[in-house]
Amino acid sequence: MTLLVVDDHTLFRRGLIALLALDPGLLVVGEAGDAAEALRLAPQLLPQVILLDNHLPGVMGVDAIGGLREVAPASRVLMLTVSEDGQDLAAALRNGAQGYLLKTIDGDLLAQAIRRAARGEPVVSPELMGKLVAAFQSQGAPESALTPVAQASPPSDASAAVAQLSPREEEVLREIARGASNKEIARTLDIAETTVKIHVQHILRKLGLSSRVQAAVYASDRHRAE
């Protein structure tokens, strides 16, 4: 899996590249210190995943996402930053980032997140889920503005749909809100991963949602309201 690392701190960037090199399934094909360099390299290297810091000189990472997606539409942009600001998180996802992770993430979990992002799965650090909900709510963003990331509020018939969730589906939904992958959910609940996938499909259908991030945001929002 090919990666482009974009971070203005040379020491951190080189350390991250060295860490990623320990995984034989990951290959860093390029590095950049700012958004301009990233925009130049992305269409040449066509990496599967672009690891993008937010606090870059010149153009901020969240503002560079659109340009990166334009010049390398097949690449997934995964934010890796120290910023825990809910507005940065919401802006990154709204602009098309596949996920938003904090630099404090464990190396093994980062590798897992990269693979999930490459498969098109949204990934957000679990501790930021509450801030994601709060950011969308404070902005009062309309449904169209949140596409394809997440809606702050569930569809109008979601309350009735929740009553139809089985106890097991409720457990799976709680794990999704934690940011757990299907494999992690299967391990936690001691069920097969294929069973988890079926539960996730049922949850999305019953709640009228289209992604795991929407389900996670909805679950966190409901928990805050209880």
Side-chain angles (χ1 to χ4, degrees):
M1 184 175 299
T2 55
L3 309 170
L4 171 62
V5 176
V6 185
D7 195 292
D8 65 320
H9 290 91
T10 304
L11 186 61
F12 175 83
R13 189 173 69 244
R14 296 293 169 78
L16 176 60
I17 291 173
L19 175 65
L20 296 172
L22 297 176
D23 190 319
L26 303 177
L27 175 64
V28 176
V29 294
E31 58 180 290
D34 56 38
E37 189 175 8
L39 287 167
R40 179 179 62 82
L41 290 176
Q44 298 176 16
L45 302 174
L46 297 177
Q48 290 172 270
V49 176
I50 300 173
L51 289 176
L52 178 67
D53 186 22
N54 188 33
H55 295 294
L56 298 173
V59 179
M60 294 285 284
V62 293
D63 298 321
I65 295 171
L68 289 170
R69 285 173 53 81
E70 183 175 347
V71 299
S75 300
R76 309 285 189 180
V77 178
L78 180 57
M79 300 294 296
L80 182 61
T81 177
V82 297
S83 175
E84 298 185 34
D85 184 82
Q87 301 302 321
D88 287 342
L89 167 60
L93 296 178
R94 184 182 290 107
N95 290 346
Q98 193 63 39
Y100 194 100
L101 302 174
L102 297 177
K103 286 184 176 179
T104 54
I105 188 172
D106 178 79
D108 290 338
L109 294 179
L110 174 60
Q112 294 176 23
I114 290 172
R115 287 181 167 84
R116 290 170 58 191
R119 294 195 298 267
E121 297 180 25
V123 287
V124 176
S125 289
E127 59 266 40
L128 295 179
M129 202 58 73
K131 291 185 177 182
L132 174 61
V133 174
F136 281 140
Q137 290 177 329
S138 66
Q139 293 171 2
E143 179 178 335
S144 58
L146 299 177
T147 305
V149 182
Q151 295 171 233
S153 301
S156 58
D157 60 346
S159 296
V162 169
Q164 299 176 15
L165 293 182
S166 69
R168 180 63 85 185
E169 289 167 352
E170 287 280 5
E171 291 178 329
V172 171
L173 182 59
R174 282 195 294 271
E175 292 300 312
I176 291 175
R178 283 199 313 107
S181 66
N182 286 347
K183 182 176 294 186
E184 292 167 337
I185 295 174
R187 187 182 305 117
T188 299
L189 301 182
D190 195 25
I191 57 179
E193 187 174 353
T194 53
T195 303
V196 175
K197 293 179 180 179
I198 294 173
H199 285 315
V200 172
Q201 292 172 359
H202 288 172
I203 291 168
L204 296 180
R205 176 176 55 78
K206 289 181 179 181
L207 296 181
L209 303 175
S210 59
S211 74
R212 293 172 72 95
V213 167
Q214 288 186 358
V217 171
Y218 167 64
S220 297
D221 195 18
R222 187 177 61 156
H223 176 72
R224 286 159 60 92
E226 291 177 348

